[in-house]
Amino acid sequence: MIQVALKLVLAEMALILALLFKNPLRNLIVKGLDRLKQGRGPLVVKSVAATMLVVFASALYNAAAINRRVAEAGILNQTDEILVAYRLLETYTIGFSLFLALIIDRIHNYIRELHRLRATLEERFKVLT
């Protein structure tokens, strides 16, 4: 699970970098995100995000349960320590992935608004000249 989450985080980071800097790939990514937000795309994205949120909460709950068990027993054995570390790593990567998805959505909206404002300004400037 962690390998998938780490690959997802790396892909999202690459997508954010491609969106932030003006390059030939940026227009293609913006058009792809526009098409993703049409039709059933938002429903699919929301259901995937909700599933990731449930997995996030489950991993966090499992880590807390192990910590509670350790607090009751008073002894931290090596197995519990590894399980807690694994669950926390899984939780952090999934949470960071959800955060990066939110950042991608906001950057996409800002780029679209910027294109819209530039087109409006060009139209008005042509009318004035």
Side-chain angles (χ1 to χ4, degrees), residues 7-23 25-34 36-37 45 97 100-108 111:
K7 288 178 185 176
L8 180 64
V9 165
L10 286 175
E12 287 177 337
M13 290 172 72
L15 191 63
I16 287 173
L17 284 175
L19 284 172
L20 286 177
F21 301 110
K22 192 163 181 113
N23 57 20
L25 195 58
R26 181 178 177 178
N27 290 335
L28 182 64
I29 292 171
V30 170
K31 287 179 184 176
L33 287 172
D34 284 339
L36 182 67
K37 290 186 177 183
V45 169
S97 174
L100 288 177
L102 181 70
I103 296 295
I104 289 171
D105 183 50
R106 293 288 93 206
I107 290 174
H108 174 248
I111 290 173

Side-chain angles (χ1 to χ4, degrees), residues 60-121:
L60 196 61
Y61 179 77
N62 286 336
I66 293 170
N67 277 335
R68 264 194 312 268
R69 189 172 66 217
V70 167
E72 290 174 1
I75 298 173
L76 178 66
N77 61 16
Q78 294 171 348
T79 306
D80 287 340
E81 189 175 349
I82 291 171
L83 285 174
V84 168
Y86 182 80
R87 292 295 178 200
L88 287 178
L89 180 62
E90 186 178 37
T91 303
Y92 291 149
T93 53
I94 291 173
F96 192 57
S97 174
L98 289 170
F99 175 72
L100 288 177
L102 181 70
I103 296 295
I104 289 171
D105 183 50
R106 293 288 93 206
I107 290 174
H108 174 248
N109 285 337
Y110 292 145
I111 290 173
R112 254 193 351 203
E113 186 66 27
L114 183 65
H115 285 298
R116 202 173 302 131
L117 285 173
R118 282 185 183 165
T120 306
L121 281 175

